[in-house]
Amino acid sequence: MFQLTDRVALVTGASQGIGEAIARALAEAGAKVVLAARNQEKLAAVLAGIEAAGGQALALGMDVADAAQVKAAFQKATERFGRLDILVNNAGITRDGLSMRMKIEDWDAVLSTNLTGAYLCAQQAIPSMLRQRWGRIINISSVVAQMGNPGQVNYVAAKAGLIGLTKSLALELASRHITVNAVAPGFIETEMTQALPEKAVEQLSSRIPLGRLGTPADVAGAVVFLSSEEAGYITGHVLAVNGGMYMA
Ligand code: NAP
């Protein structure tokens, strides 16, 4: 439905899960997609899948928490495709634990990847978007940024930080027709949530009005929409994709 022909998108954390689904969906909508993550073997498999389906993509190894790697990857992306229209900050990790006992390394790792990483990528994406006077930045936050979650103080702080980053960037960039939005997924079936025991999944599902966990495709659909021309009057928004489990 939404056409992204001639658009160039970069998706972080595209080697699996939600990021992979977002990359595939953007490619299906016609965008050329730069796939970024640390695991190059997994990226190569995603790239092969997109090309087999007739899409165009480029895989780049990149740790979002490393400013030099981020800069180098964005340079390679613009050398290859000449522009960047859409940035999806999706890379994320968890290092859960009760705050009283949380190690500073676990706090730092989650903040660096989930929040600083998004900022570093946005900084590299903005110049191209400013030149074009068109851009879309989409930050993958989480329902827990709005609800809070015991045992995830680092993750929740980073995901709530992303919402603040989204709103401030939206204000800074609106005059250049660059929109900045966040997507806040609920519980989505990926490796990140696979560790949950079956009973916990049952209990969780019963608290979700739509009666099931979400899929990566559910999140990807929201990202394609926010990337589209049709979403051009939406900025600074947090779009919940959570089956109704939390209504902010
Ligand atoms: P996942 O399956 O664990 O995938 C995480 C992705 O992030 C992987 O591609 C990983 O690739 C990449 N990544 C991690 N650290 C990175 C780094 N330093 N640099 C570059 N890439 C990095 O998780 P997911 O469930 O798809 O989650 C995707 C996003 O959605 C995350 O931001 C997560 O917080 C958010 N989210 C997930 C849920 C859920 O229920 N699953 C709910 C709300 C929000 P490499 O390991 O190859 O680098």
Side-chain angles (χ1 to χ4, degrees):
M1 180 184 179
F2 300 109
Q3 285 304 315
L4 299 177
T5 316
D6 296 329
R7 296 288 179 206
V8 178
L10 187 148
V11 182
T12 69
S15 57
Q16 63 181 53
I18 293 172
E20 175 181 352
I22 290 170
R24 288 180 189 276
L26 291 171
E28 264 169 41
K32 299 177 183 89
V33 185
V34 182
L35 313 163
R38 293 165 304 175
N39 187 319
Q40 304 222 31
E41 263 175 47
K42 285 188 182 174
L43 283 181
V46 179
L47 174 76
I50 289 176
E51 287 181 343
Q56 274 192 68
L58 168 71
L60 292 176
M62 170 178 102
D63 180 342
V64 294
D66 182 322
Q69 287 189 33
V70 170
K71 195 170 180 191
F74 275 79
Q75 263 166 9
K76 281 186 201 154
T78 35
E79 271 163 30
R80 165 73 183 269
F81 291 125
R83 55 188 289 135
L84 183 65
D85 303 288
I86 300 159
L87 167 66
V88 185
N89 281 316
N90 164 80
I93 56 168
T94 51
R95 296 277 189 279
D96 297 350
L98 289 175
S99 51
M100 211 172 65
R101 287 198 289 270
M102 183 172 287
K103 295 193 189 93
I104 188 67
E105 295 80 19
D106 291 335
W107 171 271
D108 285 343
V110 170
L111 269 289
S112 310
T113 302
N114 298 12
L115 182 57
T116 309
Y119 164 68
L120 292 173
C121 291
Q123 225 181 12
Q124 292 302 316
I126 289 167
S128 179
M129 294 177 180
L130 285 178
R131 275 195 301 277
Q132 295 151 204
R133 293 187 162 262
W134 198 96
R136 301 278 186 264
I137 299 176
I138 297 150
N139 298 315
I140 307 301
S141 178
S142 170
V143 66
V144 297
Q146 299 163 312
M147 297 170 61
N149 205 21
Q152 285 201 309
V153 69
N154 49 359
Y155 183 81
V156 172
K159 293 296 185 184
L162 270 182
I163 293 178
L165 176 89
T166 298
K167 292 180 179 177
S168 296
L169 269 183
L171 289 171
E172 284 186 15
L173 300 172
S175 66
R176 306 298 175 94
H177 311 291
I178 300 166
T179 67
V180 188
N181 291 290
V183 172
F187 284 92
I188 310 296
E189 285 183 274
T190 68
E191 207 170 277
M192 193 176 265
T193 46
Q194 251 164 25
L196 289 171
E198 205 174 309
K199 203 154 185 205
V201 173
E202 265 172 37
Q203 273 175 354
L204 263 174
S205 305
S206 72
R207 282 172 43 203
I208 301 171
L210 285 175
R212 64 171 177 88
L213 265 61
T215 65
D218 289 325
V219 182
V223 172
V224 171
F225 166 61
L226 289 173
S227 301
S228 71
E229 202 58 51
E230 287 84 346
Y233 202 57
I234 301 171
T235 197
H237 183 69
V238 183
L239 179 53
V241 182
N242 65 24
M245 71 178 283
Y246 184 78
M247 300 182 187

